[in-house]
Amino acid sequence: MRRLAVFASGNGTNFEAIARACRQGVLAAEVVLLVCDRPGARVIGRAEEFGIPTFVFDPKAYGSKEEYERQIEEAGAELVCLAGYMRILGATMLGACGGRIVNIHPSLLPAFRGKDAIGQAFDYGVKVFGVTIHWVDATLDGGRIIAQRAF
């Protein structure tokens, strides 16, 4: 069974779906840690409901991205899932976990990379929206695609 760390910044609906799928045996994994960069975010309560430990931090409390990423890399997870985590990972995380980080992105990549992908797609006038699961590398939403679904 894989040990997952899930990173999230907001409400945590993707986090909850992952945690529920693990608990129900749909995923052969266990969420062992929630990492959240927004104290007070709804996802923290969701993690508590599942009994999942949290690492919640305020990035402004650290001198650098490297400093807080060093704290995160010590979690011992085999796979990192970015599920609405609204920060770009730095060299420390990519170096420690490179090749083991998956992102859930709300567009059909390579279209509409970065923040507010749904808003970008809407403003562009697309007729088909979608979601992409991809491996994370040093490029913004540019890693190898694992799966995509249009709707």
Side-chain angles (χ1 to χ4, degrees), residues 56-101:
V56 180
F57 68 100
D58 178 354
K60 295 175 186 167
Y62 292 87
S64 68
K65 182 181 286 202
E66 179 183 3
E67 196 176 320
Y68 66 74
E69 283 188 351
R70 254 190 265 117
Q71 296 287 319
I72 297 168
E73 72 177 320
E74 297 170 5
E78 297 169 89
L79 187 66
V80 173
C81 299
L82 306 181
Y85 186 67
M86 299 308 292
R87 296 201 167 276
I88 295 172
L89 298 181
T92 301
M93 272 307 290
L94 291 172
C97 300
R100 297 182 294 118
I101 305 172

Side-chain angles (χ1 to χ4, degrees), residues 8-11 34-45 48 54-62 85 87:
S9 296
N11 286 329
L34 165 71
V35 174
C36 181
D37 63 335
R38 285 189 39 223
R42 172 67 178 108
V43 69
I44 299 164
E48 290 171 357
T54 62
F55 174 67
V56 180
F57 68 100
D58 178 354
K60 295 175 186 167
Y62 292 87
Y85 186 67
R87 296 201 167 276

Side-chain angles (χ1 to χ4, degrees), residues 3 18 35 40 52 60 96-97 130 134:
R3 296 169 48 86
I18 292 166
V35 174
I52 295 170
K60 295 175 186 167
C97 300
H134 68 95

Side-chain angles (χ1 to χ4, degrees), residues 14-57:
N14 285 331
F15 166 83
E16 184 174 342
I18 292 166
R20 190 172 310 287
C22 290
R23 183 157 290 164
Q24 293 172 347
V26 175
L27 292 175
E30 172 189 13
V31 178
V32 297
L33 180 68
L34 165 71
V35 174
C36 181
D37 63 335
R38 285 189 39 223
R42 172 67 178 108
V43 69
I44 299 164
R46 291 181 195 267
E48 290 171 357
E49 291 168 11
F50 279 91
I52 295 170
T54 62
F55 174 67
V56 180
F57 68 100

Side-chain angles (χ1 to χ4, degrees), residues 126-146:
V126 300
K127 303 289 187 242
V128 177
F129 288 80
V131 64
T132 302
I133 311 296
H134 68 95
W135 292 106
V136 173
D137 62 17
T139 61
L140 179 63
D141 293 324
R144 187 171 53 84
I145 293 171
I146 299 166

Side-chain angles (χ1 to χ4, degrees), residues 108 128-131 148-151:
L108 294 171
V128 177
F129 288 80
V131 64
Q148 290 182 309
R149 294 294 179 264
F151 53 88

